[in-house]
Amino acid sequence: MDYYDSQQTNDYMQPEEDWDRDMLLDPAWEKQQRKTFTAWCNSHLRKAGTQIENIEEDFRDGLKLMLLLEVISGERLAKPERGKMRVHKISNVNKALDFIASKGVKLVSIGAEEIVDGNVKMTLGMIWTIILRFAIQDISVEETSAKEGLLLWCQRKTAPYKNVNIQNFHISWKDGLGFCALIHRHRPELIDYGKLRKDDPLTNLNTAFDVAEKYLDIPKMLDAEDIIGPLRPDEKAIMTYVSCYYHAFSGAQKAETAANRICKVLAVNQENEQLMEDYEKLASDLLEWIRRTIPWLENRAPENTMQAMQQKLEDFRDYRRLHKPPKVQEKCQLEINFNTLQTKLRLSNRPAFMPSEGKMVSDINNAWGGLEQAEKGYEEWLLNEIRRLERLDHLAEKFRQKASIHESWTDGKEAMLQQKDYETATLSEIKALLKKHEAFESDLAAHQDRVEQIAAIAQELNELDYYDSPSVNARCQKICDQWDNLGALTQKRREALERTEKLLETIDQLYLEYAKRAAPFNNWMEGAMEDLQDTFIVHTIEEIQGLTTAHEQFKATLPDADKERQAILGIHNEVSKIVQTYHVNMAGTNPYTTITPQEINGKWDHVRQLVPRRDQALLEEHTRQQQNERLRKQFGAQANVIGPWIQTKMEEIGRISIEMHGTLEDQLSHLRQYEKSIINYKPKIDQLEGDHQQIQEALIFDNKHTNYTMEHIRVGWEQLLTTIARTINEVENQILTRDAKGISQEQMNEFRASFNHFDRKKTGMMDSEDFRACLISMGYNMGEAEFARIMSIVDPNRLGVVTFQAFIDFMSRETADTDTADQVMASFKILAGDKNYITVDELRRELPPDQAEYCIARMAPYSGPDAVPGALDYMSFSTALYGESDL
């Protein structure tokens, strides 16, 4: 990972973690963030002709969120879903979140579902992440970037102003003088800074906000009353607003840029010295901690009780969980600092850093290895001691648990086996009792193993002379005696149940026959009632005709069904006759079914009533489907004309963008006339929208008469308008480039001819290989590294293609790179002006105090004929810093 990528990750992830910890926002801060983030979003969405009103509501469907990302990034996102369902909204928000993630952003605890649900805190967190990535992260001042870079920029700009001390992004801005100082530093004609008072923050804030909005095109994102209130202003809101000032005043003067370059070189040297001191201290502290910890881990004094050993184990776990992790981090940070320091020294052509004796990284690793070995031995000893003490306690507890489980299971079983509930039971109840008894017998057999295990454990405890063996033996004997009694009672109950079962089987056969025929007939009637009352949903005439045919077939089965009904009722009458003849004592009704003859007759009458109602419903639906078919044909006829027309126009615009003729102004005029002809087609689109609305109101969801949907037409129409507008914009940009770079029309034609020749796919863009061939044809002699450098200029987003605009920008561009030493010396020359020297006062005025003194200590006095008191030879600074070979 290069320097930029590592900086990007470090600067970016920290604010996200801060946001995750601050999820419970103060209401006043939430209000500030709502206003600030909404205004910031609208400042970009305004470029696309839209805006938001409610930040948690207007981003829920993901459409404006994707549009915001396209505006601020200048890139096209994936095609959004236009549906209104939740799944479409989640899909759009996921596309936006994926795009953010593709920029190296790690989204912590922010998911599409929370955004779609209107979770205000998650929404504010997501917008803050976007602001960090696209408005703050790329801010770079000297060796700092993002938040620290923005803060340093503010400090540099406001340093000459009294009563202004910017140390943070909250209370340092409460009096409003910081905002006024930034404006006055760059546009002194806009604010009379001398008339501002520190004790009037409301006037200061409103003055800065009004001037910024009116003259600098910075929208009003904050309320002065919120900032001067008793609470601390929200840091994220202030950072967002101040970043707008940075971007508005990003063009810095040459003298300030020169000073910054000097500061950058000095800061690197000072930072290296600080890293050396930090390494020595951190290494000493870590080695001392290891020296104190190893004796504790080597202590093997045993304990006599389980509680004492468990306390030692808990102390060891606290060491692993609480005391060791910070030291692991310190060790890792120590190695990182050492490697970073060596790399920085090597890049600065400085000697490698050599730590004090015994504090090398290898020395620390050796000491750490000894700690790990002692830790491993201590843990093994603890576990062995605990296992030794647990054995006897575990065996006794195992006996108690198994005995308790068995006694709980046998509780009430003897009383259950002695019941005579079978004397008044029906046949089905008798069979159920038999099944239940069989299950009990199986359960009884299964518990035989537990009884044997209990006896075996009691025997082992006796052999080990367990102190409570008498109570264990008594309890075991009671369990065995009870077990023998349960076996005898079980056999007695089975014999009684089998005798009773034979008495009721004859009557049961008649009940069974009735149930077998009544149940399917009842199910048939219930299914018929359900079908006759079912609300059908059809979309075509064919479907309603199929339903009508099925209904007629159902009516043809009714006579046979009536015969089955009468046969079932005959079986029930026969059962009643047998019961009355033989005086059978029947407890309850038919055990096989709850269906009564009265229920069968009632449901049959209901079926007969529902048939004519179903006839009427089917007739009405047939009429409605005929009307829907007419609407489908009407929409399909128009859509089949408009869809191909849009496709044709898209293809024509594609050809025009590649094969333009005449001057750029002629091409622009032709394209605008073409755009007007497209816009004049809008009434036909509106007419098709009207037909589509009628289809939606009729709840028509498909149309076999066309492959085009209204969504396809809308998207095609929007793409057509976007394509013609983008093509016009490209020609306008080419005109601007031509005029700014002084390119003649003949040169532009040559550029276009070369571009079109090597644009083999005729897409209006060259891929990297086509671009390489084009450069070679124009006389460029380059290797892979040089070509990669050129591609980074013409394709900064690494899309793998080169547009015509990027091509002509490159052809007219001249670049020149200088090394760090040349830049520093050029910066000093800017500060010195026409003189051959630079004075002490000039250095102290242009540079921060510590860096000014750093330079003064490394410069020789100037001894030329034009020397003045305090004059320094700034050429000597390069000799001291880089050596003679770099001059």
Side-chain angles (χ1 to χ4, degrees):
M1 178 183 292
D2 59 19
Y3 176 77
Y4 175 81
D5 291 335
S6 62
Q7 281 295 104
Q8 184 183 39
T9 301
N10 294 336
D11 292 341
Y12 192 66
M13 288 304 298
Q14 185 60 38
E16 283 193 341
E17 295 170 358
D18 291 343
W19 180 271
D20 191 46
R21 292 194 295 269
D22 297 338
M23 281 301 294
L24 297 177
L25 292 177
D26 184 274
W29 289 6
E30 181 178 323
K31 175 185 176 184
Q32 293 181 34
Q33 288 182 11
R34 280 173 177 268
K35 178 178 178 64
T36 303
F37 291 359
T38 300
W40 185 86
C41 293
N42 285 334
S43 69
H44 293 285
L45 289 173
R46 192 185 307 122
K47 302 173 184 177
T50 186
Q51 65 179 11
I52 61 172
E53 298 293 336
N54 188 310
I55 196 166
E56 69 267 25
E57 289 295 326
D58 292 349
F59 284 137
R60 289 180 63 183
D61 61 1
L63 295 177
K64 289 190 178 180
L65 178 60
M66 294 178 70
L67 180 60
L68 173 65
L69 291 172
E70 289 183 347
V71 172
I72 63 179
S73 68
E75 301 179 26
R76 294 287 295 176
L77 272 68
K79 178 181 177 182
E81 300 287 346
R82 295 293 178 177
K84 301 297 183 181
M85 296 176 65
R86 175 180 174 83
V87 66
H88 298 140
K89 298 178 181 180
I90 291 176
S91 176
N92 289 338
V93 174
N94 272 325
K95 291 176 182 177
L97 296 181
D98 291 343
F99 177 80
I100 297 173
S102 71
K103 298 301 179 183
V105 179
K106 180 181 179 183
L107 296 169
V108 179
S109 302
I110 300 177
E113 289 78 7
E114 287 84 358
I115 306 303
V116 173
D117 291 340
N119 187 314
V120 61
K121 301 188 186 302
M122 288 296 183
T123 304
L124 292 176
M126 177 190 66
I127 297 302
W128 173 239
T129 299
I130 294 174
I131 293 173
L132 279 177
R133 174 60 183 84
F134 295 98
I136 297 177
Q137 179 180 331
D138 293 335
I139 294 175
S140 178
V141 178
E142 300 179 9
E143 286 289 332
T144 62
S145 62
K147 175 182 176 181
E148 291 76 14
L150 184 60
L151 182 62
L152 181 59
W153 179 80
C154 295
Q155 292 171 342
R156 292 284 184 266
K157 295 300 181 180
T158 60
Y161 293 86
K162 65 179 181 179
N163 296 328
V164 178
N165 184 18
I166 304 301
Q167 297 298 327
N168 50 55
F169 287 108
H170 36 83
I171 60 175
S172 295
W173 304 86
K174 287 177 71 71
D175 58 10
L177 291 177
F179 296 110
C180 294
L182 288 176
I183 296 174
H184 186 266
R185 178 66 181 268
H186 297 87
R187 297 287 298 278
E189 75 278 8
L190 298 181
I191 291 181
D192 188 352
Y193 190 87
K195 293 183 178 180
L196 300 177
R197 302 198 321 272
K198 185 176 181 62
D199 59 354
D200 189 9
L202 184 62
T203 299
N204 299 338
L205 290 166
N206 284 325
T207 297
F209 296 165
D210 294 340
V211 169
E213 185 176 31
K214 183 176 180 181
Y215 296 101
L216 305 177
D217 197 26
I218 299 176
K220 188 175 182 181
M221 300 182 181
L222 304 169
D223 289 329
E225 292 77 10
D226 294 337
I227 297 179
I228 65 176
L231 298 176
R232 191 181 78 175
D234 180 62
E235 184 181 54
K236 299 175 177 63
I238 297 294
M239 284 180 64
T240 302
Y241 187 59
V242 171
S243 69
C244 295
Y245 280 63
Y246 173 87
H247 292 294
F249 301 135
S250 59
Q253 294 86 351
K254 289 184 178 181
E256 183 178 359
T257 302
N260 288 340
R261 289 173 179 167
I262 297 171
C263 293
K264 181 177 180 180
V265 174
L266 300 180
V268 169
N269 285 273
Q270 293 172 335
E271 182 182 358
N272 291 342
E273 294 172 0
Q274 185 62 43
L275 283 174
M276 295 177 188
E277 295 176 4
D278 293 344
Y279 177 88
E280 291 285 337
K281 182 178 184 306
L282 190 58
S284 298
D285 294 344
L286 184 58
L287 289 170
E288 176 62 19
W289 178 83
I290 294 173
R291 184 190 64 78
R292 294 195 312 268
T293 304
I294 287 179
W296 174 70
L297 293 173
E298 291 177 345
N299 182 13
R300 299 291 192 273
E303 299 291 344
N304 296 325
T305 65
M306 177 65 71
Q307 182 179 3
M309 289 305 298
Q310 288 178 339
Q311 183 59 47
K312 279 196 170 186
L313 180 61
E314 186 62 29
D315 292 341
F316 180 73
R317 288 171 178 168
D318 287 341
Y319 156 79
R320 278 269 183 87
R321 185 174 60 253
L322 302 176
H323 303 296
K324 184 179 179 183
K327 299 303 177 181
V328 173
Q329 294 179 0
E330 290 180 10
K331 178 177 177 292
C332 179
Q333 189 61 45
L334 189 70
E335 295 176 359
I336 292 173
N337 290 352
F338 182 83
N339 294 333
T340 301
L341 176 59
Q342 300 292 36
T343 299
K344 289 186 175 183
L345 291 173
R346 183 170 64 255
L347 294 175
S348 301
N349 293 326
R350 301 287 300 276
F353 168 61
M354 181 62 66
S356 303
E357 183 178 358
K359 296 180 182 178
M360 292 290 291
V361 173
S362 58
D363 298 327
I364 295 173
N365 286 336
N366 291 335
W368 190 265
L371 176 72
E372 298 260 336
Q373 188 65 31
E375 178 181 315
K376 179 180 178 182
Y378 187 73
E379 182 180 23
E380 292 175 354
W381 175 77
L382 281 175
L383 295 178
N384 289 332
E385 284 295 304
I386 290 175
R387 281 193 292 268
R388 181 180 64 84
L389 293 174
E390 281 181 341
R391 177 170 175 74
L392 283 176
D393 289 345
H394 171 71
L395 196 59
E397 180 63 24
K398 184 176 181 181
F399 174 82
R400 287 191 290 269
Q401 288 181 355
K402 286 185 175 293
S404 297
I405 293 172
H406 178 78
E407 289 167 350
S408 175
W409 179 83
T410 58
D411 184 31
K413 294 294 189 298
E414 292 175 313
M416 182 269 292
L417 291 172
Q418 293 173 352
Q419 290 180 2
K420 294 185 178 182
D421 48 353
Y422 51 84
E423 293 180 350
T424 58
T426 63
L427 178 59
S428 60
E429 291 172 342
I430 289 294
K431 290 184 180 294
L433 289 174
L434 275 170
K435 295 289 185 182
K436 182 178 179 181
H437 190 72
E438 291 173 358
F440 174 76
E441 289 176 331
S442 299
D443 196 12
L444 186 69
H447 278 75
Q448 178 68 33
D449 290 341
R450 179 176 287 117
V451 174
E452 294 175 355
Q453 291 174 6
I454 290 172
I457 294 173
Q459 179 65 28
E460 186 175 358
L461 287 172
N462 286 322
E463 293 174 354
L464 295 174
D465 295 328
Y466 181 56
Y467 76 94
D468 199 19
S469 291
S471 64
V472 170
N473 292 335
R475 192 173 184 181
C476 180
Q477 185 61 44
K478 181 180 178 181
I479 289 172
C480 292
D481 293 343
Q482 186 185 37
W483 185 255
D484 295 337
N485 188 39
L486 284 175
L489 291 174
T490 299
Q491 181 61 28
K492 184 177 179 180
R493 181 174 175 83
R494 164 170 280 281
E495 293 172 355
L497 288 172
E498 289 176 346
R499 284 194 306 268
T500 305
E501 179 186 20
K502 295 178 180 179
L503 298 176
L504 299 174
E505 283 183 343
T506 302
I507 295 175
D508 186 68
Q509 293 298 322
L510 292 173
Y511 275 146
L512 181 60
E513 183 180 358
Y514 173 87
K516 287 182 177 180
R517 299 185 68 174
F521 185 72
N522 182 69
N523 290 337
W524 176 85
M525 288 192 298
E526 289 180 347
M529 289 187 294
E530 182 180 350
D531 291 340
L532 291 171
Q533 297 178 92
D534 185 29
T535 302
F536 51 82
I537 299 176
V538 296
H539 302 290
T540 64
I541 290 180
E542 291 79 4
E543 292 178 359
I544 193 63
Q545 288 174 345
L547 289 177
T548 302
T549 300
H551 182 63
E552 292 299 326
Q553 293 173 352
F554 166 76
K555 290 194 294 183
T557 65
L558 291 178
D560 292 336
D562 190 33
K563 293 179 181 179
E564 178 65 13
R565 177 181 67 88
Q566 293 174 1
I568 293 171
L569 295 178
I571 295 174
H572 182 269
N573 294 335
E574 184 178 354
V575 171
S576 299
K577 182 178 179 181
I578 294 174
V579 170
Q580 293 174 2
T581 301
Y582 297 98
H583 305 287
V584 178
N585 182 19
M586 299 299 300
T589 59
N590 192 328
Y592 297 108
T593 182
T594 59
I595 303 170
T596 65
Q598 293 78 12
E599 291 180 4
I600 292 175
N601 287 331
K603 291 180 180 179
W604 176 256
D605 293 339
H606 192 200
V607 169
R608 298 294 298 271
Q609 295 171 3
L610 290 175
V611 170
R613 298 179 190 173
R614 186 70 167 187
D615 292 336
Q616 181 63 28
L618 289 171
L619 179 61
E620 292 174 355
E621 181 62 24
H622 188 272
T623 302
R624 190 177 74 87
Q625 287 301 324
Q626 288 178 328
Q627 175 64 16
N628 288 351
E629 184 66 13
R630 183 190 64 80
L631 292 175
R632 288 190 184 93
K633 291 180 179 179
Q634 181 177 331
F635 177 86
Q638 295 185 68
N640 289 333
V641 174
I642 294 176
W645 182 87
I646 292 176
Q647 182 63 33
T648 300
K649 294 301 179 183
M650 288 289 292
E651 295 173 356
E652 292 176 357
I653 293 173
R655 290 194 297 271
I656 292 174
S657 64
I658 297 175
E659 301 174 358
M660 292 185 175
H661 303 287
T663 66
L664 293 177
E665 286 77 5
D666 294 339
Q667 297 169 7
L668 182 62
S669 175
H670 179 62
L671 284 170
R672 285 176 173 164
Q673 292 175 1
Y674 202 82
E675 180 185 31
K676 182 177 180 181
S677 68
I678 291 174
I679 294 174
N680 290 337
Y681 201 77
K682 184 65 164 57
K684 294 185 179 181
I685 303 296
D686 295 338
Q687 181 181 356
L688 189 62
E689 286 280 6
D691 293 344
H692 178 65
Q693 182 177 353
Q694 292 182 15
I695 285 179
Q696 288 184 321
E697 292 172 353
L699 300 179
I700 299 173
F701 301 105
D702 58 356
N703 192 341
K704 66 182 180 180
H705 301 292
T706 181
N707 292 326
Y708 293 98
T709 65
M710 195 62 228
E711 183 66 22
H712 293 154
I713 299 298
R714 291 193 194 104
V715 171
W717 177 253
E718 292 171 0
Q719 290 178 345
L720 181 60
L721 294 178
T722 302
T723 301
I724 187 64
R726 183 173 63 249
T727 304
I728 290 174
N729 179 254
E730 289 176 355
V731 176
E732 291 175 340
N733 287 338
Q734 293 172 21
I735 293 175
L736 291 175
T737 302
R738 181 199 64 189
D739 296 342
K741 302 296 184 178
I743 301 173
S744 66
Q745 183 61 46
E746 289 74 12
Q747 290 175 310
M748 288 296 294
N749 291 339
E750 290 178 2
F751 290 158
R752 169 55 77 179
S754 297
F755 187 89
N756 287 344
H757 176 74
F758 286 96
D759 178 15
R760 294 179 297 176
K761 298 178 181 177
K762 303 306 178 184
T763 60
M765 295 179 289
M766 289 190 291
D767 59 27
S768 58
E769 293 304 319
D770 291 341
F771 181 57
R772 183 197 297 271
C774 182
L775 291 179
I776 293 174
S777 72
M778 299 176 71
Y780 279 81
N781 184 13
M782 57 197 168
E784 288 297 330
E786 176 64 13
F787 181 68
R789 184 190 69 81
I790 295 174
M791 282 298 295
S792 67
I793 297 173
V794 300
D795 182 20
N797 295 323
R798 299 182 178 179
L799 300 177
V801 294
V802 180
T803 64
F804 181 66
Q805 183 64 39
F807 177 71
I808 60 174
D809 286 344
F810 170 74
M811 297 306 299
S812 58
R813 177 177 177 176
E814 293 183 0
T815 58
D817 295 330
T818 58
D819 57 21
T820 304
D822 292 338
Q823 292 178 357
V824 171
M825 299 314 299
S827 300
F828 271 124
K829 186 167 183 62
I830 292 173
L831 295 179
D834 297 333
K835 307 186 299 297
N836 294 320
Y837 59 86
I838 188 168
T839 67
V840 172
D841 292 339
E842 288 173 336
L843 283 175
R844 289 173 176 166
R845 183 175 64 252
E846 297 296 337
L847 300 180
D850 57 336
Q851 297 181 348
E853 297 304 324
Y854 187 91
C855 291
I856 293 171
R858 287 160 176 76
M859 288 186 183
Y862 179 71
S863 57
D866 55 342
V868 298
L872 299 173
D873 182 4
Y874 60 81
M875 292 297 293
S876 63
F877 178 80
S878 177
T879 302
L881 193 61
Y882 297 103
E884 292 295 340
S885 61
D886 292 328
L887 291 177

